[in-house]
Amino acid sequence: MNFIGVYLRSSAVSKFPFFLANLGVLGGWFSSPFSATPAPVSSVTMSSPTAAKAGPPIKVLVVDDEAAHAEAVADSLARVGYDCTVATSGAEGMAMLARDAFEVIVTDLRMKDSTGLELLAKSKELLPDAEVILVTGHGTVQSAVEAMQQGAFNYLLKPLDLKQLRSVVDSASRTQHLRRANAELNRRLDEKFGFEGVIGNSPQMHDVVTRLQRIAPTDATVLIQGETGTGKELVAQAIHQNSPRKNRPFVALNCAALSENILESELFGHIRGAFTDASADRVGKFEYATGGTLFLDEVGDMPLPTQIKLLRVLESGEITRVGSNEQIKVNVRILSATNRDLEEAIRSGTFREDLYHRLKVLTVRLPRLSERAADIPLLIEHFIQLHSARHRKKIKSMTTAARRRLMAFNWPGNVRQLKNAIESMVVVDFDEVLDVDDLPPELLTPGEQPEPVGASAGLADLVGRPMAELEGLFIAETLKSTGGNREEAAQMLGIGERTLYRKIKEFGLN
């Protein structure tokens, strides 16, 4: 666009700014003056490797109340592969931020109806991952520092050097491409192994994850059922994090851990003087979680009087603080969990049937760990990484013997017990390899010693079967015990990885 060259050549200023990274003192803001006239457009429209990466082009919003300048900047970036949109006022830019998801924003600092800092603040509210580049013809150290403190990616002075502008936008785009790659990796991992932290690749967990994917985007009340230690709160957090409420509070409350009076105060809050020691007004969990999610753990142990008050809140959407008559509107999604049989509790008169039906609009049942033993290898690796980082321990591997013990154990305490067992092993380990000698005492009970891989069916069932079939069976069981880790499976089987790959193909074990 010829206008770009004309616009730059017509400027009376011939100094171009360094990046803000060069800002140490005021004199460090500027490089030596460029003596040459800015190059013609044709000489600066080089291809941009960042903009040209695979996937949709990076979306750029250019905001400037000088329409000609905004169009020139957008055209310059569009010609090297960016998807550019122009707003010619701060208000228009704000509206576009609310309507569309931009990854890079180039905005003038001073505009007639608003400032670039206001646009920066709005972008951090609506698009927290977007990178914002501020442009101004009135640069000061104070404004630059303020912009960076508020999260600006960079700060440039007019007149713009197009090469420098593209370089800065390329840098911002590299950050966005990394975010995209990370998001895609997480998406693939979620598809294969879980749902934002819900780890598992067994058929049982596939069913759970599929249900969670359908439930999470709604506002429906969910009852999560499962034994102690199966990960009910983790599932509740996953529902919240994948819902439209994810940027609002997630508040958890254990209903079994508190007395009736304290539980009501925790749920609904209280006013000063409502009871002894109530020295000030207090906001309850319902008010605090407004706009977000309230997770009621062990809801089956909630006292009957509190159940009545909870039912009233679910029906009216209003709470009353203890000691007050004022009704307060709340907007909270309720997730609850229990390891009790609530239908039996209804029959015994300890749980209200009408509340039960309010809480179980949707249900999720979590299987015992023994029902999804195929997930144990994935969980082992996850917990090793988690606890080695937490305790600053370097763990290189776990021996086959230790893995077999963990695979063979019944895990009455479910995932929580496995997590604690791995933490214990990591803490007591001294040689960077987790082995049988690191196992917690409960796994060393003689009655719980594991059988060799594949022995669960009994040798009698294997007698008379073709050798090729037995070979395929043992390879399949070994892969299962390592969670699909072919390198480790090859070591356990005493064969090379290439041989294992060939056997996997031969027996159709992909």
Side-chain angles (χ1 to χ4, degrees), residues 416-488:
R416 182 183 296 139
Q417 186 182 10
L418 174 61
K419 178 182 178 181
N420 293 340
I422 299 298
E423 181 173 16
S424 171
M425 295 177 73
V426 168
V427 169
V428 303
D429 177 71
F430 64 91
D431 59 2
E432 300 182 353
V433 176
L434 302 183
D435 203 349
V436 174
D437 61 344
D438 299 316
L439 290 169
E442 64 266 24
L443 271 74
L444 298 175
T445 304
E448 295 174 342
Q449 296 300 313
E451 298 174 340
V453 175
S456 59
L459 286 175
D461 294 335
L462 303 179
V463 174
R465 296 170 70 172
M467 287 298 296
E469 184 180 341
L470 295 179
E471 185 179 12
L473 172 65
F474 275 88
I475 290 174
E477 289 296 320
T478 303
L479 285 168
K480 185 186 297 183
S481 73
T482 63
N485 187 321
R486 297 182 178 185
E487 180 180 0
E488 188 175 346

Side-chain angles (χ1 to χ4, degrees), residues 16-123:
F16 297 94
F18 274 129
F19 290 154
L20 190 58
N22 292 329
L23 176 59
V25 293
L26 182 59
W29 253 35
F30 299 96
S31 64
S32 300
F34 286 91
S35 56
T37 303
V41 172
S42 60
S43 69
V44 296
T45 54
M46 66 295 217
S47 62
S48 171
T50 301
K53 284 190 176 183
I58 294 291
K59 298 189 70 171
V60 179
L61 175 63
V62 180
V63 186
D64 196 323
D65 56 3
E66 293 183 37
H69 185 263
E71 292 290 349
V73 170
D75 184 72
S76 173
L77 295 174
R79 290 166 70 180
V80 291
Y82 292 101
D83 179 6
C84 295
T85 302
V86 170
T88 55
S89 71
E92 186 182 3
M94 299 278 192
M96 287 183 175
L97 287 178
R99 288 199 307 265
D100 207 346
F102 296 97
E103 295 164 288
V104 177
I105 300 161
V106 181
T107 178
D108 195 18
L109 182 61
R110 294 187 180 182
M111 293 176 282
K112 295 175 183 177
D113 61 340
S114 64
T115 69
L117 292 179
E118 292 173 340
L119 199 77
L120 170 62
K122 192 67 174 178
S123 72

Side-chain angles (χ1 to χ4, degrees), residues 191-366:
E191 284 182 357
K192 186 173 183 181
F193 298 127
F195 183 68
E196 299 238 351
V198 182
I199 298 171
N201 199 30
S202 62
Q204 295 89 338
M205 289 309 292
H206 273 301
D207 291 344
V208 170
V209 169
T210 298
R211 188 161 180 78
L212 293 179
Q213 289 172 334
R214 295 174 180 174
I215 287 173
T218 73
D219 251 353
T221 303
V222 183
L223 177 63
I224 305 167
Q225 298 172 302
E227 292 184 359
T228 299
T230 50
K232 296 186 288 295
E233 183 168 349
L234 180 65
V235 166
Q237 290 174 336
I239 292 173
H240 172 75
Q241 289 300 325
N242 290 273
S243 76
R245 296 174 178 263
K246 65 181 180 181
N247 294 322
R248 303 297 296 168
F250 173 85
V251 180
L253 181 65
N254 190 318
C255 300
L258 304 170
S259 66
E260 178 184 332
N261 292 335
I262 295 178
L263 179 58
E264 288 189 17
S265 175
E266 286 291 320
L267 283 171
F268 312 122
H270 62 252
I271 63 172
R272 180 179 179 181
F275 50 84
T276 305
D277 297 330
S279 57
D281 291 356
R282 187 175 187 276
V283 171
K285 295 293 191 286
F286 266 98
E287 283 185 81
Y288 184 75
T290 290
T293 303
L294 178 59
F295 173 56
L296 302 176
D297 198 8
E298 304 300 346
V299 71
D301 296 304
M302 181 179 287
L304 276 170
T306 310
Q307 291 180 33
I308 296 171
K309 294 179 180 179
L310 175 60
L311 179 62
R312 187 179 302 121
V313 173
L314 295 179
E315 290 175 342
S316 67
E318 296 178 337
I319 61 106
T320 304
R321 292 183 183 179
V322 176
S324 172
N325 293 319
E326 181 185 355
Q327 300 288 320
I328 301 173
K329 276 283 185 183
V330 290
N331 173 20
V332 175
R333 183 181 190 179
I334 298 293
L335 307 178
S336 56
T338 183
N339 59 6
R340 295 185 60 191
D341 183 343
L342 292 186
E343 293 184 355
E344 176 60 34
I346 291 169
R347 287 191 289 270
S348 65
T350 59
F351 202 84
R352 292 182 62 92
E353 184 174 6
D354 45 6
L355 178 60
Y356 171 65
H357 290 298
R358 272 284 185 178
L359 295 176
K360 69 175 291 289
V361 174
L362 293 168
T363 59
V364 176
R365 182 195 169 276
L366 298 183

